[in-house]
């Protein structure tokens, strides 16, 4: 089994997979400290399938063996991930519309950091870092899992363990 180590999330190394924004540390919000209603729009662009409405989903990720056993990708849409109350590790692979386990990397996503995955990027379940469970907001077009999701279980020899 191949083993990989999560890298710190930074814009340059993550750029091929998408983008991210830390929703807990926004300069515009700091400038408005003390206001009782703060709204900061358009922090990142979001390309969704034009036929569908956006859908906010929530996943609760709990402690488990940190092994990637399956991957998925969406052919036409982005997926957005926001860990709400704890840090998570995610895994991604290049957008090639093929499953190549050797191309997979892992990234540490701090809580409150909004991650956008580009269409076609390999990904899958998230893994908790230092807590029992983490609630994660997932943003997708409505019914993505029924009409734009290619899911592949990995052979045991292709499975990957993400180290802490």
């Amino acid at each position: 089994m191949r083993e990989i180590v999560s890298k710190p999330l930074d814009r340059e190394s993550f750029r091929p997979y998408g983008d991210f924004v830390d929703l807990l540390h926004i300069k515009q919000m700091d400038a408005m400290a003390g206001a009782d209603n703060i709204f900061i729009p358009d922090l990142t662009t979001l390309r969704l399938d034009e036929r569908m409405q956006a859908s906010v989903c929530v996943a609760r990720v709990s402690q488990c063996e940190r092994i990637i056993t399956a991957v998925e990708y969406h052919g036409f849409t982005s997926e957005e991930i926001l860990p709400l109350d704890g840090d998570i590790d995610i895994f991604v692979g290049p957008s090639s519309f093929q499953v190549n386990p050797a191309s997979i990397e892992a990234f540490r996503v701090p809580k409150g950091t909004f991650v956008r995955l580009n269409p076609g990027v390999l990904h899958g379940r998230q893994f908790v870092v230092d807590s029992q469970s983490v609630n994660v907001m997932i943003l997708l077009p409505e019914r993505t899992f029924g009409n734009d999701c290619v899911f592949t279980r990995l052979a045991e020899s292709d499975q990957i363990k993400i180290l802490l």
Side-chain angles (χ1 to χ4, degrees):
M1 174 186 304
R2 183 172 152 248
E3 296 181 339
I4 58 177
V5 176
S6 265
K7 303 173 189 178
L9 187 65
D10 69 76
R11 195 148 264 109
E12 193 58 38
S13 62
F14 195 77
R15 188 177 316 280
Y17 307 111
D19 197 8
F20 60 90
V21 60
D22 181 344
L23 295 177
L24 298 179
H25 301 97
I26 299 171
K27 290 179 184 177
Q28 298 97 313
M29 284 190 170
D30 293 342
M32 292 188 258
D36 64 353
N37 187 19
I38 300 172
F39 176 69
I40 308 294
D42 304 326
L43 292 170
T44 186
T45 59
L46 177 61
R47 183 175 67 197
L48 295 176
D49 185 331
E50 295 174 3
R51 301 169 294 164
M52 299 291 172
Q53 296 293 319
S55 176
V56 175
C57 307
V58 176
R60 177 170 289 155
V61 183
S62 299
Q63 291 243 348
C64 68
E65 199 170 14
R66 297 167 53 86
I67 297 177
I68 302 167
T69 60
V71 299
E72 67 183 64
Y73 67 85
H74 310 294
F76 303 100
T77 62
S78 299
E79 178 169 331
E80 290 68 38
I81 302 166
L82 174 62
L84 300 173
D85 51 3
D87 298 349
I88 60 172
D89 280 341
I90 64 170
F91 64 88
V92 289
S95 177
S96 63
F97 301 101
Q98 296 178 5
V99 175
N100 178 4
S103 70
I104 291 175
E105 299 182 78
F107 288 90
R108 178 77 34 96
V109 180
K111 71 179 176 182
T113 302
F114 188 84
V115 173
R116 185 195 78 232
L117 300 180
N118 292 332
V121 167
L122 293 176
H123 63 284
R125 66 155 295 144
Q126 302 85 38
F127 297 93
V128 298
V129 173
D130 54 9
S131 58
Q132 288 298 312
S133 64
V134 175
N135 294 296
V136 181
M137 183 185 81
I138 309 290
L139 185 60
L140 287 164
E142 188 176 48
R143 298 182 38 79
T144 296
F145 292 103
N147 58 31
D148 185 25
C149 187
V150 177
F151 181 85
T152 303
R153 290 203 184 279
L154 298 177
E156 192 169 330
S157 60
D158 288 333
Q159 293 179 3
I160 302 164
K161 184 174 187 173
I162 300 177
L163 303 174
L164 274 174

